[in-house]
Amino acid sequence: REKKAAIPSGVAGGDRDVGEISILEEVEEKKGGGKEELKDEEEQKSERNEKKEEELVPPPLPTSPSPLLPPPEASTSSLTSAPSPPSLSISSPSPSHGPSGSAKEAQENSCRDRLSNLHSATVSIHQTSVTAHHVARVVEGKTEKLQKIAVLRRVFTISSVLQLRDAFSIQPPRKSDNKEWWRIMSLPLSHRDYIGRDPSTSDAALGHTAHCVATLASYLDLALLFPVHIRGPRSYITDSFSRPGKYPLFSTDVDHNYFAYGVYLLNKNIEQLLSSENLEVHHP
């Protein structure tokens, strides 16, 4: 509309059409010129990009043969006869261990040794504890067995003593008896003096007493201080300490002092039996 308005108003209708056509042509020419300018700019940009890519591409390697390698046309004989070029051996430099590196290695080795020693000590301690536990269990089991054996043995000993008492018919003193004599096999035992009594009765009673004492010592697993030799009414006893010798336990045809000392030693054996069972000893 502006272009039409630019046409003078005095121009005729035919002239208007010609003017409008010329204006349209000018506008189209301007549009075509703008398109060409855009094409030129795009071509310049593409040329710039190609230059940048060429700069980035590395240069081609030289095609001339290397001086170190023989030409491909050379024969195998020429290769063997021609001296081989000196080979360049490139060795990587070994890391230099200074004093600090050797000290670190020594510390690491000492730490490893200590750790291995600690591990071996721990293993040995564990094995020792396991062994000790096993031994404790074994000892505990054996202790229980020994306790049972001790109880059974004690029961057997008591029953044996009771049987021995019944076998020798041992009886304590009677209250009605003024002399308070113990009796064995219904024979009286005097604790003071055998003078004035029937020798055969006293000799038999002492012989039974000696036999009972020796048997009871074997039941209690006790070694008598003064060994007794059983010979019935002619038994005797041995002293190996203060007055070494054999002393009779019978009063027939012997010295009274020897006989009295023999009865004294037999009483000492009886006291030993009582003390072994923590029983009181009553002296007359």
Side-chain angles (χ1 to χ4, degrees):
R1 291 176 182 176
E2 290 177 356
K3 288 178 182 179
K4 290 179 179 181
I7 297 172
S9 60
V11 181
D15 295 334
R16 286 182 184 174
D17 294 335
V18 174
E20 289 178 0
I21 290 169
S22 61
I23 290 170
L24 292 173
E25 289 177 356
E26 289 177 2
V27 171
E28 288 178 0
E29 288 178 359
K30 287 182 180 181
K31 288 180 180 180
K35 290 180 180 180
E36 290 178 358
E37 289 177 359
L38 291 174
K39 288 181 181 179
D40 294 336
E41 289 179 359
E42 288 178 358
E43 289 178 357
Q44 290 178 1
K45 286 182 181 181
S46 62
E47 289 178 358
R48 290 174 187 172
N49 292 331
E50 289 177 357
K51 288 181 181 180
K52 287 181 180 179
E53 289 178 357
E54 289 177 356
E55 290 176 357
L56 293 175
V57 174
L61 296 173
T63 56
S64 62
S66 175
L68 297 178
L69 298 176
E73 294 82 9
S75 62
T76 56
S77 60
S78 64
L79 290 175
T80 54
S81 61
S84 61
S87 61
L88 298 175
S89 62
I90 302 172
S91 61
S92 60
S94 60
S96 62
H97 297 286
S100 61
S102 61
K104 287 181 179 179
E105 287 184 356
Q107 289 179 357
E108 289 178 357
N109 293 330
S110 64
C111 289
R112 290 194 191 96
D113 295 337
R114 289 177 183 175
L115 288 174
S116 63
N117 293 333
L118 286 174
H119 179 69
S120 60
T122 304
V123 171
S124 63
I125 289 170
H126 178 68
Q127 292 177 353
T128 305
S129 63
V130 170
T131 305
H133 182 66
H134 178 68
V135 170
R137 291 182 63 183
V138 172
V139 170
E140 185 179 358
K142 290 185 176 180
T143 304
E144 291 178 358
K145 290 181 180 179
L146 290 174
Q147 289 176 353
K148 291 179 181 179
I149 291 171
V151 171
L152 293 174
R153 185 176 180 181
R154 185 65 180 173
V155 172
F156 173 76
T157 303
I158 293 171
S159 64
S160 300
V161 169
L162 294 175
Q163 290 178 4
L164 188 66
R165 182 195 64 180
D166 297 337
F168 283 93
S169 184
I170 300 172
Q171 298 175 2
R174 298 175 183 175
K175 292 182 179 180
S176 60
D177 193 353
N178 296 326
K179 296 182 180 180
E180 296 181 357
W181 287 348
W182 280 81
R183 293 180 177 274
I184 184 169
M185 301 294 290
S186 300
L187 297 174
L189 284 169
S190 176
H191 55 265
R192 290 184 180 87
D193 194 359
Y194 289 89
I195 298 175
R197 297 184 57 200
D198 184 5
S200 62
T201 303
S202 61
D203 294 348
L206 289 174
H208 291 311
T209 304
H211 190 188
C212 181
V213 169
T215 306
L216 186 59
S218 65
Y219 287 168
L220 298 177
D221 195 13
L222 184 66
L224 294 173
L225 295 174
F226 307 101
V228 178
H229 303 276
I230 308 301
R231 297 291 186 272
R234 307 290 289 183
S235 299
Y236 62 91
I237 191 167
T238 305
D239 183 10
S240 302
F241 300 102
S242 58
R243 297 167 61 180
K246 296 178 181 180
Y247 297 92
L249 294 175
F250 52 92
S251 60
T252 305
D253 301 331
V254 294
D255 188 359
H256 180 70
N257 293 327
Y258 282 90
F259 169 68
Y261 189 71
V263 174
Y264 170 77
L265 295 179
L266 183 61
N267 286 327
K268 288 297 180 183
N269 284 340
I270 294 172
E271 290 180 5
Q272 182 185 359
L273 292 173
L274 295 173
S275 298
S276 66
E277 297 298 318
N278 297 323
L279 299 175
E280 295 181 2
V281 179
H282 298 283
H283 296 279

